[in-house]
Amino acid sequence: MLTTPPLVDIRNLKVTFTGGPKPICAINGVDLALDRGETLAILGESGSGKSVTLRAMLRLNPEKRTKVEGSITVGGKDVLTLGPKELQAFRGRDVSMIFQEPALALDPVYTLGHQIAETIVKHDGGSWADARKRALDLFERVRIPSPERRLDNYPHEMSGGMRQRAMIALALACNPKVLLADEPTTALDATVQIQILLLIRELQREFGIAVIFVTHDIGVAVEVADRVAVMYGGRIVETGPIRDILRSPRHPYTIGLLKSRAHDAMTKGTRLDAIPGSPPDLANLPPGCSFAPRCKLAAPACSEATPEPVAVGAGHEARCFRTDATAPVAA
Amino acid sequence: MTSVASLLPQDPAKTVAPIERSPGYWSGVGKRFRKDKLAIAAGILVLLLILMAIFAPLIAPMDPYAGRTIRRLRPVGTDGFPLGTDELGRDMLSRLIYGARYSLMMGVTPVLMAFGVGSLIGIIAGYVGGKTNTVMMRTIDVFYAFPSVLLAVALSGALGAGIQNALVSLTVVFIPPIARVAEAVTTQVRNRDYVEAARASGANALTIIRVHVLGNVLGPIFVYATGLISVSMILASGLSFLGLGVRPPEPEWGLMLNTLRTAIYNQPLVAALPGVMIFITSISFNVLADGLRNAMDVKV
């Protein structure tokens, strides 16, 4: 390879939770690559392994009860072998994260300015006065009105959208290279959602950071992402540029997801096209393609072996044996 | 036309109302507390008791230790002895005033010490979790299983009488309940998103405990501990009454109650006075702690 290695490189990541009576295979071989300034949306339903993937990148999953295999490299650092000190420096500085519910992810007993300054002082050293100046600068960048007053506010004194802006400011405090966003708009009003999405998009261009965005809302993915990775049963079943995924999905699950959305031309009484069945039991995965039991196109081969990714377009891959059958459906 | 222009909004930058610095948590607490008349009355009483304890030598009309058998057991209202004299002829008023010192010390010190030790145990158990938690908390539960009076009496008896030993045994009595509250609150806080967010931004365990756990946990524990002060006072008086706490001739209320016990038929009013003081003091602290808890809106 002559090109520079990607900023984030995840290879064959497997995460197993061993705490319970039966090991739960939350992630079963995820490959992801992300370049500087790129935005990737990970799309999937609950339990598909989206959040676990993000957490694994920061090693936030409980160490004792989690087995992580494969490799995660961010900016040349092998995340899985970092020592405790290196890990602390890595978190927040190389990769930082924004959470779903800003009301819970901000400490209620400290002012926002204090929380941001605390993180900056912890990472960069320096004085509290400088850290506060930087916090003010961040508040301006995330477009919080009257930022100086707002720095002295407690989280409960702000609205949901404002809190999420503050959360983003906190995540950007130490100039991370990668920003992980775990459903950052799910807890917000629809009108505020779009503002936050635009803000993330804008900041991403301004700071040149890479963003991995986890969501179950295709509409959100369309707003922010360059590329989409669709997850199902702990695997990425289809990945590609957002346009290609929307126009010509090639994995039956993606097709099902897109069909099951409410679209504008719906009339009263029409039923949504739901995917039959329920998501796989991660403690008891079927041997072949994990979507096979719910798949209309499933062939005998599907339940025997796990399909490898098949290239179906430029940068567009689907993990399916029946991509030949899905092409006409999408067209 | 100037009249039309004046109707138009001014320069928006000027007319935008500045956001008021929103009232903080403590001003809200103060506001709620001020509405609670009973708690205020209790607070005033507690304040008076503290002042009385501090300035006892200035207020007390006589030496609380100087007695004369010739004037023993005078009734309340005797000239020169407004609250009578005790079985050794010492001025009851002076002795009651000095007694506030012991009561306050015996009430506050064990709770403060238990607050320190219990919080430490509870926070560590709650934060570490798992087997450490089980071992620590089940050990604590063993102590918790004893009735507090019995435990205090047994410990004081084993250690021997004396103020220090009484303080130690009372501290041991109060560590388990405080540790349990601390553990419960810490376990809650540990699983909050902001702790995970702090980890995600690179905070180490010590920072998380110092900033996020202590910041959120100490308030509820403190409020709980204030409620224990009155219990501690009563237990301390009880120990002294049984001869396990303060030793004669110190003017401790519990001890005075004991020594005046024999005079209950001759001077019932005088004999009851130390009990009245214990009652007033402990109920004031109790009401004050309740008011504080309501005002701080802490659920324990």
Side-chain angles (χ1 to χ4, degrees), chain A residues 55 58 60 88 91-92 95 97 99 104-110 118-119 122-123 146 149-150 152-153 157 167, chain B residues 18-25 192-194 196-197 199-205 207 210-212 214-216:
Chain A
R55 265 146 222 267
L58 278 168
L60 282 177
Q88 275 160 30
R91 289 170 174 168
V95 179
M97 186 157 172
F99 289 80
L104 302 176
L106 294 165
D107 194 322
V109 299
Y110 298 100
E118 171 97 40
T119 309
K122 200 87 200 160
H123 271 286
S146 343
R149 305 285 176 86
R150 285 302 188 181
D152 293 324
N153 271 175
E157 296 170 332
M167 185 80 225
Chain B
I19 298 169
E20 290 292 313
R21 173 92 171 74
S22 51
Y25 169 69
R192 292 277 160 81
D193 276 4
Y194 53 80
E196 179 144 12
R199 283 211 298 144
S201 70
N204 57 22
T207 311
R210 183 176 57 80
V211 177
H212 299 285
L214 280 186
N216 284 286

Side-chain angles (χ1 to χ4, degrees), chain B residues 62-68 86-92 94-102 161-163 240 243 245-260 274:
Chain B
M62 292 197 177
D63 181 353
Y65 300 100
R68 269 208 216 145
D86 71 358
E87 78 288 350
L88 292 174
R90 295 171 293 201
D91 178 37
M92 277 301 281
S94 304
R95 284 180 71 75
L96 288 175
I97 289 171
Y98 271 89
R101 294 186 153 188
Y102 285 99
I163 297 184
S240 301
V246 178
R247 273 180 280 195
E250 301 301 330
E252 206 274 339
W253 293 338
L255 186 65
M256 288 161 73
L257 212 52
N258 183 19
T259 52
L260 282 167

